Amino acid sequence: MEKNLSILGSTGSIGRQALSVARRLQLPVSALAAHSNISLLETQIREFRPQLVAVFDFDAAKQLKLAVSDCAVKIVSGMEGLCEAATIPNANMVLNAVVGMIGLQPTMAAIHAGKTIALANKETLVAGGSLVMRDAQAQGVSILPVDSEHSAVFQCLQGCHRPEEVSRIILTASGGPFFGKTKAELEHVTLEQSLNHPNWSMGKKITIDSATMMNKGLEIIEAAWLFDVAPEQIDVVVHRESIVHSMVEFRDGSVIAQMGVPDMRLPIQYAITYPDRVRSDVPRLNLASCGKLSFYQPDEETFVCLKACKTALKRGGLFPATANGANEAAVQLFIDGKIPFLRIGALVWEAMEHQPAVSSVTSVDQVLEADRAARAFVQEAAQKN
Ligand code: NDP
Ligand code: MG
């Protein structure tokens, strides 16, 4: 069946690349959504002619309505608008590329509307993984990974029909701009240094997450939900060149890896065209010109966010939602110049210690409340020192 897309977060790094894939494959786009970047939305509306566009910010939505009054497009706003874009009848696939926990409700809405989900928004799975996977299964909806590591694992698993054959998932991590640094060296790093990622050009939040290695921690939790594996079955290896995007070890000891140049259009396109593979204009991998590929053990004592996420996954319940919410708030404080770099990881741990254990997560409201509490905790703790 031809794909008809709704792209949430269309003005972001992933969203723009998803639209370039849609342009190349000439796929119809029925809905777009963003927070407030209406000048780019206007350009996208004029090119892709969606029926519906959600602008989260109410005032920006009003301005956009005026700017595109000559187009046959409905402009909506707020969470209700975002969910309307996620459930638009004409689309059969929702590509969720908004940043942060705000993506949870539209993901759930899209699942309930029976849409195939192409998921870049990892925070959704981290915070509400049990609910997302439970409802996706109940609705018979596929969650296709866009995150490059998870797309790699997903590709390595094609043809594997027995879960017991998988012994380990090995996620690769670039190590970010601060690989090999000590805690003392990280004490005074600046925002600019943290935003200087060696291999990928991405949105600000995920770039900071890569510098703290929180990103890899979130990806461990994301992998546990997507591939239904135990925390002990997920390992991380630092791979500086970002050529091997991740690996699966099978029970006979064989390891299958997926490789390619670091270009997000590849995993985006695979999620969109799955189960088919079609041509792309992504540059080809030339291993001889790569030279050496290197692999290292991650340093969890320095990059404490990685350990925090592993702990959150093992503890289960609302701990992942708490770790994620605390991190989102702490990263914003770091971007705003209010806390130093190393405080991000410390605050994630403190928020987790503050979170009471609950045995099971049964509702989205419960997740939203844990997220709210973690953010409030971080705001307050950051003010104290
Ligand atoms: P960006 O910051 O570049 O883009 C974020 C997008 O989300 C923008 O379109 C933004 O709109 C939109 N947005 C933010 N808040 C809202 C809201 N309340 N309602 C509607 N839209 C909103 O982020 P990235 O593209 O880098 O990342 C997006 C997601 O994909 C993240 O979860 C990230 O972890 C994941 N990811 C990203 C990768 C990458 O290479 N960039 C790789 C793997 C995963 P506006 O422009 O108006 O603010
Ligand atoms: Mg990734």
Side-chain angles (χ1 to χ4, degrees):
M1 191 181 17
E2 191 191 45
K3 298 287 162 36
N4 185 311
L5 302 170
S6 165
I7 301 184
L8 314 182
S10 66
T11 54
S13 160
I14 294 288
R16 280 179 276 128
Q17 295 180 84
L19 282 173
S20 85
V21 171
R23 176 187 299 121
R24 205 175 166 278
L25 302 180
Q26 297 190 316
L27 294 177
V29 179
S30 290
L32 298 173
H35 179 266
S36 49
N37 184 351
I38 53 170
S39 59
L40 182 53
L41 275 175
E42 181 178 348
T43 311
Q44 294 178 345
I45 289 170
R46 295 193 185 282
E47 176 178 357
F48 290 94
R49 301 278 159 186
Q51 278 172 277
L52 182 89
V53 171
V55 186
F56 196 81
D57 184 89
F58 185 73
D59 292 328
K62 272 208 284 200
Q63 284 179 43
L64 182 65
K65 221 179 253 180
L66 289 177
V68 296
S69 56
D70 59 315
C71 302
V73 57
K74 181 178 168 194
I75 309 290
V76 292
S77 67
M79 181 51 79
E80 212 175 299
L82 192 52
C83 290
E84 198 176 334
T87 53
I88 187 164
N90 276 4
N92 49 21
M93 172 177 270
V94 173
L95 195 149
N96 188 347
V98 304
V99 59
M101 241 296 280
I102 197 86
L104 181 60
Q105 285 145 289
T107 300
M108 295 301 278
I111 290 170
H112 294 145
K115 314 292 186 196
T116 301
I117 313 285
L119 195 64
N121 178 230
K122 64 190 84 184
E123 295 91 347
T124 286
L125 271 182
V126 170
S130 60
L131 306 172
V132 171
M133 296 317 284
R134 179 195 70 190
D135 288 11
Q137 206 160 23
Q139 295 285 329
V141 154
S142 307
I143 311 276
L144 302 169
V146 168
D147 210 348
S148 58
E149 295 77 1
H150 304 75
S151 173
V153 170
F154 184 61
Q155 293 180 59
C156 295
L157 287 172
Q158 295 306 307
C160 168
H161 302 294
R162 294 171 200 267
E164 66 274 18
E165 289 178 359
V166 173
S167 61
R168 208 160 48 113
I169 284 176
I170 307 160
L171 299 176
T172 52
S174 71
F178 302 138
F179 171 71
K181 294 249 186 291
T182 61
K183 258 198 175 160
E185 288 170 323
L186 291 180
E187 232 159 73
H188 302 292
V189 295
T190 63
L191 176 61
E192 199 190 350
Q193 289 169 318
S194 312
L195 287 175
N196 185 21
H197 196 279
N199 305 340
W200 300 95
S201 152
M202 311 177 285
K204 256 190 191 169
K205 191 254 173 186
I206 184 176
T207 307
I208 301 299
D209 285 349
S210 300
T212 60
M213 290 198 81
M214 182 73 183
N215 183 49
K216 211 47 56 180
L218 298 175
E219 289 183 357
I220 292 177
I221 303 175
E222 187 186 6
W225 287 117
L226 281 173
F227 307 113
D228 194 20
V229 290
E232 309 74 54
Q233 287 178 286
I234 309 170
D235 278 346
V236 171
V237 65
V238 175
H239 166 46
R240 293 298 282 160
E241 297 81 9
S242 299
I243 296 295
V244 176
H245 298 305
S246 280
M247 296 165 258
V248 176
E249 181 192 271
F250 293 87
R251 64 180 172 188
D252 58 358
S254 179
V255 176
I256 299 188
Q258 187 264 339
M259 298 195 276
V261 295
D263 188 321
M264 285 308 295
R265 287 173 303 169
L266 233 156
I268 292 169
Q269 174 170 307
Y270 189 64
I272 291 177
T273 64
Y274 176 81
D276 299 331
R277 278 188 193 274
V278 302
R279 285 191 63 81
S280 85
D281 51 9
V282 168
R284 302 290 127 155
L285 178 61
N286 180 333
L287 280 173
S289 70
C290 293
K292 288 198 174 112
L293 299 182
S294 53
F295 300 91
Y296 307 88
Q297 205 60 253
D299 174 1
E300 288 184 13
E301 301 310 317
T302 303
F303 296 92
V304 298
C305 288
L306 192 53
K307 209 181 203 169
C309 288
K310 281 189 179 174
T311 306
L313 178 62
K314 282 194 189 130
R315 288 187 192 167
L318 291 168
F319 283 105
T322 299
N324 178 70
N327 179 61
E328 285 193 33
V331 167
Q332 194 55 53
L333 288 170
F334 174 65
I335 290 174
D336 295 341
K338 302 220 170 95
I339 58 169
F341 182 78
L342 285 179
R343 193 87 175 97
I344 299 173
L347 284 168
V348 169
W349 272 105
E350 285 169 36
M352 272 173 48
E353 297 314 331
H354 193 72
Q355 163 71 49
V358 295
S359 50
S360 72
V361 181
T362 50
S363 73
V364 170
D365 283 345
Q366 220 182 339
V367 175
L368 295 178
E369 175 50 28
D371 176 72
R372 194 205 54 75
R375 288 168 195 266
F377 175 83
V378 165
Q379 295 297 348
E380 204 174 311
Q383 264 168 15
K384 279 190 194 142
N385 36 43

